[in-house]
Amino acid sequence: MLAEQDGLAAANSYFKKGCNPLAQTGRSKLQNKRATLNQQIIKQMRMRAGAENLLRATTNNKVRELVALELSYVNSNLQLLTEQLEGLNSSVEVYQNVQESASIPMIPLGLKETKEVDFSVPFKDFILEHYSEDGSNFEDEIADLMDLRQACRTPSRSEAGIELLATYYSHLSLIESRFFSPSGQMGIFFTWYDSFTGMPVCQQNISLEKASLLFNMGALYTQIGTRCDHQTRVGLENAITAFQKAAGVLTHLKETFTHTPSYDMSPAMLSMLVRLLLAQAQECLYEKTALPGIRNEFLTLVRMAQESAKVADTYEQVHQSMIQTPIKDNVPMFWSSMAQVKISHYRSLAHYFVGIALLDHQLRLSDDEDKQEKALSQLYDMMPGGFVASTTHLLFPGKAHFRRAIMGHEEALRAHNLCRHLRKLDVLREILQASHKRTLAKLDENNSEDEFTDYMDAPDIVSKTEQKAEIEMPMSIKVKVKDFFHKLGPLSVFSAKQRWTAPRTVRLYPGGRDLGFMLKGDGPVQVLSLDPLCAAAKNGLKEGDYIVGVKDTDCKWLDVSEVMKLLKDSDETGVDIRVVSSGLRTSSYHPNKSATYSGGLSKTYSMICLAFDNSDKVPKNRKVTKKTSFLNWGTKGKSKSVSTLSLPTADYSATLPFNKQRAIFPNSYNDPALY
């Protein structure tokens, strides 16, 4: 019994960073299906690449016919898989609040999938080659880093999940400085799949990892926003904040990382997604205004009409972005159809509220008619011929607005019925039908059989809002973390940008208290003003050396006073210190080469590596560019800024196996925040 409890405690401890990937929640099932589809798409793309190469190479007509037939089958399979992936992106109902029954569903983003990465061998080799330390001493730190990355594949739908992604993102900056030199490659390949097309992107550049993580952070914010309860004020405020933060994360991604090889992170796609998220935030602001109830007062109804028109205008901008090439080829039809439905629905609500204000509002003695006339005059940009709207002529203008509202509701229902994925949303259909029936009833109340006057057309309503949705940059993009590889020394000195000699031992005799040199620094301590005739210089000490150890004590993080204390504690026989010198060394670390594959996307976004066969493990040497010395480290170099993601075509020989033993999974699958 105790053993079972210990095992469960260990499992819960393991998953405190991430969720159980086997939890049978609706969201986890969708992500698992997405991962399966990505693998199937990779397989079909390999087959298509082979068939196309054979078709170009052979001149045998019979072989060409067979290959062309096989290629048609492969293309058909790819089309089916793409449609299935589109269906997953259209499955929004599992992301909504389980108690929600009276609100239009929101659109969340699915998380990008990735392949496992084994840091152990490359990091150990780099630690030995670059830092001249035994990589096996850092096995626990490497395992913690791999556990953190694995947990980030299944973040919980909560602030804890956001913090998890932000923690790993913050560690990536430290990892990049420690192990990824601007002039060399580590041989670690990061593979991420396009969220919309399922196309794989494989690069050695860690910026792909950072950019994909930011995308998932924004996607997780959208899932949190759709999960909020829209029937409470607190729930709506949380949803507004989540959508605005998601827009902030994606805006940061677009401005920070350029030339991304995955189309879902291209500037055009990210701009469209930001508009979509702000539109959904604006919709939540409208729902928050309408939540307490709409009073039957003229100015209140006019205000609600303009708020509704504002929501419709924001979705109009989103829809215009969606139908642009090449975005329209990658965005699910469900998304554009949903945008059309919301445009028609909220525009119809605007006309409905104006009709109510003109025909059904309750005029009180305290009402200011001049103020109402002014509000009504500001409701339109242009008055069509024959249309007269004032507080003294209400009947015909009000009925004209009701007719516009009915036409809009019918258009929304038509767009809803044309999309097979939208037809599955019963809640949406019920809301649209109820709004349509309500408007019809209001028009019937004001119709009379003896009316033969020609109908007038209601003009468009000017959109206006008292609170506009704004991009909000979350504070949790970067969090303060403890460096996994703290033992390597201060990052400002011991980084991948610098080259170091191997540590060497120098014998000092501090008994006379005249060392022949000076020390400075707060970790590590550096040797200055070295007397070339002193005993330390004769024993091999050089000016500019860093003291990394005194006897058996690691001094990388010790300041001058602490190092001097260790030196004073030595006897007359002297003390051994370990020092390193900055300088250039010929690197023995060679990354592996591999083939790359174009997945049929445009040249800007088709840098895709598909060579995942574990049998191709023959490393090939690559010429390593000469690295700058420590003396020039602070100056401006020719290397590109790490804040810009400019990813070259990757070379790849094999994926590294993920050998870490899996932990026992917990039994609770009922947490709604689970992956």
Side-chain angles (χ1 to χ4, degrees):
M1 184 66 180
L2 291 177
E4 292 180 0
Q5 292 178 351
D6 292 340
L8 183 59
N12 291 332
S13 176
Y14 181 81
F15 284 109
K16 66 182 180 181
K17 297 179 180 179
C19 289
N20 181 358
L22 299 183
Q24 296 302 304
T25 63
R27 192 170 67 113
S28 67
K29 291 178 180 178
L30 283 183
Q31 283 299 135
N32 291 335
K33 289 180 181 178
R34 185 187 298 272
T36 302
L37 284 176
N38 289 335
Q39 295 301 319
Q40 293 175 350
I41 289 174
I42 274 191
K43 181 179 179 181
Q44 296 299 321
M45 289 177 62
R46 290 176 183 167
M47 295 177 63
R48 186 176 69 176
E52 290 175 346
N53 291 335
L54 182 57
L55 198 61
R56 286 190 294 265
T58 184
T59 57
N60 189 306
N61 290 333
K62 187 174 182 180
V63 173
R64 291 179 65 87
E65 291 178 1
L66 292 174
V67 173
L69 180 61
E70 181 66 25
L71 189 58
S72 66
Y73 286 133
V74 171
N75 287 330
S76 298
N77 290 336
L78 271 175
Q79 182 66 28
L80 290 174
L81 292 173
T82 303
E83 291 178 359
Q84 293 180 31
L85 187 60
E86 180 181 349
L88 293 184
N89 289 326
S90 304
S91 301
V92 300
E93 58 272 14
V94 299
Y95 294 98
Q96 312 302 316
N97 189 283
V98 293
Q99 300 176 350
E100 196 79 28
S101 60
S103 296
I104 298 179
M106 298 289 176
I107 298 176
L109 298 180
L111 299 177
K112 287 172 67 70
E113 285 290 328
T114 182
K115 292 176 68 70
E116 293 178 350
V117 175
D118 189 352
F119 295 108
S120 57
V121 175
F123 276 17
K124 288 180 182 179
D125 291 346
F126 190 84
I127 290 173
L128 178 62
E129 186 272 339
H130 186 82
Y131 296 103
S132 301
E133 296 198 29
D134 188 358
S136 60
N137 295 332
F138 295 85
E139 288 182 349
D140 292 340
E141 289 81 359
I142 296 174
D144 289 341
L145 176 64
M146 293 171 64
D147 285 346
L148 179 59
R149 187 184 190 275
Q150 188 72 2
C152 286
R153 299 177 67 181
T154 58
S156 61
R157 186 168 33 176
S158 61
E159 287 296 330
I162 296 293
E163 184 180 358
L164 171 65
L165 297 180
T167 299
Y168 181 53
Y169 182 79
S170 300
H171 275 293
L172 286 178
S173 299
L174 302 175
I175 296 301
E176 183 176 19
S177 299
R178 289 285 189 193
F179 297 100
F180 290 83
S181 172
S183 57
Q185 298 290 350
M186 272 292 292
I188 297 177
F189 291 83
F190 302 98
T191 303
W192 289 85
Y193 297 89
D194 192 290
S195 179
F196 298 103
T197 65
M199 299 294 182
V201 176
C202 183
Q203 295 285 347
Q204 294 189 67
N205 199 326
I206 196 173
S207 295
L208 173 63
E209 182 94 342
K210 296 169 70 175
S212 300
L213 203 66
L214 279 180
F215 184 93
N216 275 3
M217 196 181 300
L220 193 59
Y221 268 123
T222 67
Q223 295 180 11
I224 293 174
T226 56
R227 188 71 176 181
C228 295
D229 187 1
H230 288 205
Q231 301 303 313
T232 64
R233 183 180 181 87
V234 174
L236 283 170
E237 290 176 349
N238 291 336
I240 294 167
T241 301
F243 285 125
Q244 292 183 152
K245 286 184 177 181
V249 172
L250 296 187
T251 300
H252 177 71
L253 170 59
K254 184 183 69 171
E255 295 175 349
T256 307
F257 299 92
T258 59
H259 302 98
T260 48
S262 181
Y263 187 74
D264 57 356
M265 296 188 293
S266 65
M269 182 63 77
L270 290 176
S271 297
M272 185 277 293
L273 293 177
V274 169
R275 291 191 184 98
L276 173 62
L277 298 176
L278 291 179
Q280 296 190 137
Q282 192 68 48
E283 184 179 2
C284 293
L285 284 168
Y286 165 82
E287 293 180 352
K288 177 184 173 183
T289 304
L291 183 63
I294 302 172
R295 290 178 296 178
N296 193 6
E297 297 177 358
F298 187 86
L299 296 179
T300 301
L301 292 169
V302 169
R303 174 195 172 196
M304 292 304 302
Q306 292 187 308
E307 291 282 355
S308 300
K310 180 64 177 180
V311 177
D313 285 352
T314 56
Y315 274 109
E316 180 68 38
Q317 296 175 6
V318 173
H319 184 257
Q320 290 301 319
S321 299
M322 288 181 176
I323 62 177
Q324 301 298 320
T325 304
I327 295 179
K328 67 178 182 180
D329 299 327
N330 297 282
V331 171
M333 179 183 176
F334 170 86
W335 288 22
S336 58
S337 299
M338 177 67 87
Q340 287 180 300
V341 168
K342 292 190 176 185
I343 292 170
S344 300
H345 175 69
Y346 283 103
R347 197 155 283 162
S348 298
L349 286 181
H351 287 286
Y352 173 79
F353 286 129
V354 174
I356 293 294
L358 294 176
L359 299 179
D360 201 32
H361 82 283
Q362 298 175 355
L363 187 64
R364 290 184 272 180
L365 296 176
S366 59
D367 289 345
D368 188 345
E369 292 190 19
D370 292 337
K371 191 174 182 180
Q372 292 181 357
E373 288 278 5
K374 182 179 179 181
L376 190 61
S377 65
Q378 296 176 351
L379 198 57
Y380 312 108
D381 269 340
M382 182 181 299
M383 300 288 284
F387 186 87
V388 178
S390 67
T391 56
T392 58
H393 299 83
L394 303 177
L395 180 61
F396 294 132
K399 291 171 63 176
H401 281 290
F402 281 143
R403 285 192 294 271
R404 279 286 303 269
I406 291 172
M407 293 173 58
H409 288 312
E410 291 173 350
E411 179 64 24
L413 286 169
R414 186 188 68 82
H416 172 270
N417 292 330
L418 287 177
C419 181
R420 61 187 180 92
H421 295 295
L422 274 178
R423 289 197 297 268
K424 299 177 183 178
L425 298 179
D426 296 333
V427 173
L428 179 58
R429 182 179 64 254
E430 292 173 0
I431 292 174
L432 297 179
Q433 290 176 346
S435 300
H436 183 236
K437 292 178 180 178
R438 180 181 60 185
T439 309
L440 280 174
K442 282 296 181 181
L443 182 61
D444 290 339
E445 287 180 10
N446 294 276
N447 270 335
S448 59
E449 297 180 357
D450 56 349
E451 286 185 5
F452 297 98
T453 307
D454 291 338
Y455 291 151
M456 61 178 65
D457 293 327
D460 293 333
I461 298 172
V462 175
S463 62
K464 183 180 178 181
T465 181
E466 295 183 356
Q467 187 175 358
K468 183 180 178 181
E470 300 287 350
I471 294 174
E472 181 178 347
M473 184 59 63
M475 300 298 295
S476 58
I477 284 185
K478 276 194 173 184
V479 297
K480 187 175 182 180
V481 296
K482 182 179 180 181
D483 188 2
F484 282 133
F485 300 93
H486 177 85
K487 294 187 296 185
L488 290 175
L491 188 57
S492 59
V493 177
F494 297 98
S495 67
K497 294 181 180 180
Q498 301 197 66
R499 305 299 300 172
W500 299 97
T501 61
R504 62 186 189 278
T505 301
V506 176
R507 191 73 171 179
L508 295 183
Y509 299 94
R513 302 309 174 203
D514 185 8
L515 298 176
F517 57 85
M518 297 176 60
L519 298 177
K520 78 163 189 177
D522 294 328
V525 172
Q526 190 176 19
V527 176
L528 293 178
S529 303
L530 176 66
D531 183 358
L533 301 179
C534 70
K538 294 179 180 179
N539 289 339
L541 189 64
K542 300 178 181 179
E543 186 164 347
D545 283 352
Y546 286 91
I547 299 179
V548 297
V550 176
K551 294 188 287 188
D552 296 330
T553 303
D554 191 321
C555 299
K556 295 189 186 74
W557 290 93
L558 301 185
D559 57 20
V560 173
S561 60
E562 293 171 319
V563 172
M564 289 301 299
K565 182 178 179 181
L566 291 174
L567 294 177
K568 291 178 180 179
D569 290 341
S570 61
D571 53 24
E572 296 180 354
T573 60
V575 59
D576 289 333
I577 65 172
R578 296 188 307 280
V579 297
V580 296
S581 302
S582 63
L584 296 176
R585 290 185 296 170
T586 302
S587 176
S588 60
Y589 191 79
H590 299 286
N592 296 330
K593 292 184 178 181
S594 72
T596 59
Y597 177 80
S598 174
L601 299 176
S602 59
K603 291 183 180 180
T604 307
Y605 308 104
S606 62
M607 294 171 282
I608 301 168
C609 177
L610 294 179
F612 294 117
D613 189 0
N614 287 331
S615 62
D616 299 330
K617 293 186 178 179
V618 181
K620 297 181 181 180
N621 293 334
R622 173 182 296 175
K623 184 177 179 181
V624 180
T625 57
K626 191 173 182 180
K627 302 180 180 180
T628 56
S629 67
F630 170 65
L631 298 178
N632 297 326
W633 178 54
T635 62
K636 181 179 181 181
K638 296 181 180 180
S639 60
K640 296 181 179 179
S641 174
V642 296
S643 64
T644 300
L645 174 55
S646 181
L647 302 177
T649 304
D651 294 334
Y652 194 78
S653 64
T655 54
L656 297 174
F658 187 77
N659 296 326
K660 181 162 175 49
Q661 184 178 0
R662 296 183 180 273
I664 303 173
F665 299 114
N667 296 323
S668 176
Y669 300 148
N670 298 322
D671 186 355
L674 281 178
Y675 161 73

